[in-house]
């Protein structure tokens, strides 16, 4: 790559073709003043967005594959000077109330004086045809807000923060934004949704904060614990547990590039500030520690408190359900015990047993309630039982504006029995909230398949409860649906037993394997199945009925690439809203990827984009109800034509397509394959290689999660270390 002399260009970003949020590396198209053709600019320029007006300094390079590119060394945001630049600037979403259409009308009317008019006398905007007084006032207010935030935004964006986050920071800190960020940039990861340690650390380094600064070490430790929680862990051990599994101390030393001697004082400061809890050389984020302690305490409380209405015989039951001995055992246990767990794979009759248990409770005069962690699972439970079933959040009366539940330890649920379905996907925080709201005398039945993947959130609650031996358990193993009618069920159990699925039976109607060796061909087949073959075969709706599940997010056969391919194939030409390096279109299937308590939408919720308002820079997404998203909120949404198997938990789909290639070798695990197959109600199609399928079946190494619930239920956990006690 041959370097040339440094040059400077001024213009606006027309298109972002690639962006890596981890390191900020970006490839974009710059419409530069005085240049006939757009310039391809590259570099660590994490703050740039489409429509931004910039002055860039750097050097021309000749890339061996991609040709001539301009490598940015420094850049700054500027006001545009050309008519086209002003149009792009006004229509970029920065000024609420101005979209591309109204921006064009305004600039056509005022020309190069546009920005001066808006700045000095915004009421003159009323001169623009079809621009009403309400819109004029909205633009004037937005411009004033923008003027106040301008300096803050320029400062923040020069340190790798996007426009959307800059606005959030300004709303949080106001005119003190720069001062607060400069004093302690790491406060951003706690105060601003979406800003994590890496962005905050980049700002801190740019501001000259040393690597060994106490606030950096503390923030790094919190970051590691946050990452551990994202991976499902409730805590991190202090030291190495096994080869390739370093503890918190070693991880902090390596990722922060600091001396390990600095870590104990940082941990002490965090403990003193309620930033971390230490127990027997285990390190917890306080919410996770208190949640796990709370779950154990609630289970013991329920087990130790007698029922107010004992069910000696289960009460009268009016149904024609015929139960096998093991199923009857489960019913008898639910009648006799305060708390019990019912587990088993697909087709073993969990729903049948649940219906009979519910009939016994209601026949004995108990006020019973049904719930599940997701809306889809709750709907299925309600349809199966003929009773109202709610999500856990609705049962606990979640208050979006307050980010808390109305039903809690002080204001308990008015129930005498609670049946919880899909319990395997409930994380420790949500389970704690649910159990705290249960009356002491209430009965509790947890139903779920413990062999599925654990919850997306931290903890392994159902498995830990079963392993503790402290909670009565019945495991259903006998398959009651005819094998000839459901190869999905037959093969799910074969896989769970470590056997290869039956894939050579031409008579099967619900389990198919299409062998393709090349990843590119796998993607082509998946695309054709979604767009043509399956809709023609079974009148399936490509967006509502068919779900692609990928073991991985990245890679050629990962969810990210398949999403882009299916969006182009299934939703071509729909009205679009560009965001980052991609876009959302009306009709796109999307998924919420973060809990947003203010909006009342949660990680894993899926919906369709119903409306795009380019003027207001807003999207409307239909979940159970319609939810509005501003541009700054779009990082919480992702396309969902293809999703990871982990995110599919608790959901069922008429048809599931599962690409399986050796590219996925890291994630080729038995419980992942088992979970994916059991998401299919009517049909599953595997596309890939027999080798990848065999690798998944044979790999029964369940990823370990650091939890202590099992030990807490047994009373085997060490003492909490208080502030001032030596920890290392």
């Amino acid at each position: 790559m041959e370097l040339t002399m440094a040059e400077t260009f001024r213009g606006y970003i027309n298109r972002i073709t690639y962006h890596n949020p981890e390191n900020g590396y970006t490839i974009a198209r710059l419409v530069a003043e005085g240049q006939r053709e757009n310039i391809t600019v590259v570099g660590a320029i994490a703050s740039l967005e489409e429509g931004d007006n910039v002055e860039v300094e750097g050097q021309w390079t000749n890339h061996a594959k991609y040709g001539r590119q301009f490598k940015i060394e420094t850049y700054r945001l500027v006001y545009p000077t050309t008519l086209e630049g002003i149009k792009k600037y006004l229509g970029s979403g920065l000024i609420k109330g101005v979209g591309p259409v109204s921006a064009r009308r305004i600039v056509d009317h005022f020309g190069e004086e546009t920005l001066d008019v808006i700045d000095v006398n915004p009421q003159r905007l009323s001169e623009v045809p079809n621009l009403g007084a309400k819109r004029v006032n909205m633009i004037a207010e937005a411009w004033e807000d923008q003027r106040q935030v301008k300096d803050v935004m320029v400062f923040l964006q020069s340190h790798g923060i996007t426009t959307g986050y800059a606005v959030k920071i300004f709303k949080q800190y106001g005119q003190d934004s720069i001062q607060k960020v400069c004093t302690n940039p790491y406060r951003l990861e706690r105060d601003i949704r979406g800003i994590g340690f890496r962005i905050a650390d980049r700002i801190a380094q740019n501001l000259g904060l040393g690597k060994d600064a106490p606030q950096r070490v503390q923030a790094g430790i919190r970051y590691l614990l946050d990452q551990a929680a994202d991976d499902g862990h409730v805590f991190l051990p202090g030291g190495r547990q096994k080869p390739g599994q370093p503890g918190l101390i070693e991880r902090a030393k390596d990722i922060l590039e600091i001396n390990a001697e600095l870590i104990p004082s940082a941990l002490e400061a965090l403990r003193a500030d309620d930033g971390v809890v230490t127990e027997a050389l285990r390190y917890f984020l306080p919410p996770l520690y208190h949640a796990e302690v709370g779950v154990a305490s609630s289970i013991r409380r329920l087990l130790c408190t007698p029922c107010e209405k004992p069910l000696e015989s289960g009460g009268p039951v009016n149904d024609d359900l015929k139960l096998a001995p093991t199923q009857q055992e489960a019913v008898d246990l639910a009648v006799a015990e305060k708390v019990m767990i019912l587990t088993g794979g697909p087709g073993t009759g969990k729903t049948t047993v649940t219906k009979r248990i519910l009939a016994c409770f209601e026949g004995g005069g108990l006020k019973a309630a049904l719930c599940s962690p997701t809306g889809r699972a709750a709907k299925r439970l309600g349809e199966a039982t003929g009773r109202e079933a709610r999500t856990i959040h609705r049962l606990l009366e979640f208050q979006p504006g307050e980010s808390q539940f109305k039903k809690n330890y002080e204001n308990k649920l008015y129930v005498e029995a609670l049946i919880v379905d899909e319990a395997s996907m409930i994380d420790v925080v949500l389970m704690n909230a649910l159990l705290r709201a249960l009356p002491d005398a209430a009965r509790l039945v947890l139903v779920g398949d413990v062999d599925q993947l654990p919850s997306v959130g931290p903890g392994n609650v159902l498995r830990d409860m079963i392993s503790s031996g402290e909670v009565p358990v019945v495991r259903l193993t006998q398959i009651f649906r005819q094998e000839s009618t459901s190869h999905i069920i037959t093969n799910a159990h074969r896989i769970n037993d470590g056997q290869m699925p039956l894939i050579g039976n031409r008579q099967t109607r619900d389990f198919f394997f299409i062998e393709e060796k090349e990843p590119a061909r796998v993607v082509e087949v998946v695309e054709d199945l979604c767009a043509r073959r399956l809709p023609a075969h079974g009148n399936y709706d490509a967006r509502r009925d068919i779900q692609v599940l990928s073991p991985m997010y990245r890679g050629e056969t990962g969810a990210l690439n398949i999403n882009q391919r299916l969006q182009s194939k299934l939703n071509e030409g729909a009205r679009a809203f560009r965001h980052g390096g991609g876009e959302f279109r009306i009709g796109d299937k999307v998924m919420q990827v973060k809990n947003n308590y203010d909006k009342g939408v949660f990680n894993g919720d899926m919906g369709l984009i119903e409306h795009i308002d380019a003027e207001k820079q807003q999207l409307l997404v239909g979940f159970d109800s319609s939810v509005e998203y501003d541009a700054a909120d779009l990082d919480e949404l992702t396309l969902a034509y293809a999703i990871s198997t982990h995110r599919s938990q608790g959901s069922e789909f008429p048809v599931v397509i599962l690409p399986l290639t050796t590219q996925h070798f890291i994630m080729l695990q038995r419980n992942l394959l088992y979970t994916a197959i059991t998401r299919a109600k009517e049909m599953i199609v595997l596309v890939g290689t027999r080798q990848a399928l065999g690798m998944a079946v044979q790999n029964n190494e369940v990823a370990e999660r650091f939890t202590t619930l099992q030990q807490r239920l047994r009373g085997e956990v060490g003492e909490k270390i208080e502030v001032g006690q030596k920890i290392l």
Side-chain angles (χ1 to χ4, degrees), residues 292-307:
E292 197 175 64
V293 170
V295 170
S297 176
S298 292
I299 291 294
R300 288 195 296 269
R301 168 175 59 84
L302 292 169
L303 288 171
C304 294
T305 307
C307 294

Side-chain angles (χ1 to χ4, degrees), residues 358 361-362 366-370 388 414-419:
L358 178 61
F361 287 165
E362 292 179 338
L366 299 182
K367 179 177 174 55
L370 304 169
E388 180 187 19
Y414 179 55
V415 297
E416 295 169 306
L418 179 65
I419 299 176

